[in-house]
Amino acid sequence: LVSDCRAMASLFDNRAVLICITPSFHPPHGSYLYSSDLSTRSDAIAGIRYLRLKGWKRIAVITSVDATGQDAEKNITEIARFPENKDISLVANVRFNPTDVSVSAQIETIKAAAPQALIAWSVGTPIATVFRGLQDAGLDIPVATSPGNEVYREMEQFAAFLPKQLYFFTSPWPARGDPRVTLPPEVVERQREFFRVFEKAGLKPDQGSNEGWQPAMLVTAALRKLGTAATAAQIQDYFQHLKGFAGVSGLYDF
């Protein structure tokens, strides 16, 4: 969780390398802190561009008031002001508490703004509250959400009230074999390895699998190169000079 990463970050102070298993954590440049997968900001840049190119330019936003939602709201409002997004209007921007059992008031505000699409950013049970609220209000518009909700068990539990048009702002790992997505050959091979390992174990990987897999591969590569007695400074130097490292989500270039 983002709040956990922020709490731990101040304790490290360049004494150890910390890789947070979340893309919503944005470490200072040059620090010993890292985050997993593509950043949520990068996801949002691509996702908002996608909405715009689909012709959905009146966009509403609902975010949870926790660290995850605050990060998303900041990213979305800043990206909406990019010159390329000059035709986009954020027609509603509402928040809710993750412990709320209803967001009916927020949904009514969104409905009154007549958006063409909605960005709903939270994960787990709170996003289910939003999806239920949309269904109860009869608001049937395209909905985009966090990659943190790319979880099979979660989607199966929410199946009865999922939006009919649901999009994830995500890195390209789920697009395995999709001819519309062109990836470097070495990334394709890493994806094949990733899926092969999970299939052998009788499991279907989801976003949590992806976010945990790549840090493990990076740390393993560092220890193979430097030895298991490597210091934090040595591992940090290895990462900072690492270029073209093929991962499940793309090429890593620090």
Side-chain angles (χ1 to χ4, degrees), residues 60-84:
V61 180
I62 181 169
T63 54
S64 49
V65 296
D66 55 6
T68 297
Q70 290 171 20
D71 169 68
E73 182 182 6
K74 178 177 182 294
N75 289 334
I76 292 165
T77 53
E78 289 179 356
I79 293 164
R81 292 195 291 266
F82 284 6
E84 69 174 55

Side-chain angles (χ1 to χ4, degrees), residues 8 16 19-20 40 46 50 58 65 69 127 139 166 174 177 186 188 208 212 230 247 254:
M8 290 188 292
I19 305 180
C20 277
T40 49
Y50 179 83
R58 291 178 54 82
V65 296
I127 201 66
L139 185 55
L166 180 60
E186 54 269 49
V188 173
F254 293 101

Side-chain angles (χ1 to χ4, degrees), residues 97-212:
N97 194 303
T99 60
D100 289 345
V101 296
S102 172
V103 291
S104 58
Q106 292 92 328
I107 298 299
E108 286 304 317
T109 298
I110 291 170
K111 194 172 182 178
Q116 295 172 295
L118 171 67
I119 300 176
W121 206 279
S122 189
V123 294
T125 302
I127 201 66
T129 303
V130 174
F131 292 162
R132 283 198 189 95
L134 291 170
Q135 184 185 66
D136 292 345
L139 185 55
D140 182 14
I141 57 175
V143 177
T145 191
S146 162
N149 293 308
E150 290 180 315
V151 179
Y152 283 110
R153 185 187 304 177
E154 179 181 316
M155 291 294 99
E156 289 163 358
Q157 290 175 342
F158 303 165
F161 48 85
L162 286 177
K164 293 178 182 178
Q165 298 182 72
L166 180 60
Y167 298 86
F168 296 95
F169 287 0
T170 184
S171 58
W173 74 267
R176 179 178 63 150
D178 190 328
R180 297 170 298 177
V181 180
T182 302
L183 297 171
E186 54 269 49
V187 173
V188 173
E189 182 54 37
R190 294 288 78 77
Q191 288 186 350
R192 287 173 180 162
E193 177 187 19
F194 173 71
F195 282 96
R196 188 164 55 243
V197 169
F198 278 89
E199 287 166 359
K200 186 176 180 180
L203 301 170
K204 291 195 299 183
D206 53 22
Q207 179 65 9
S209 311
N210 171 52
E211 289 180 6

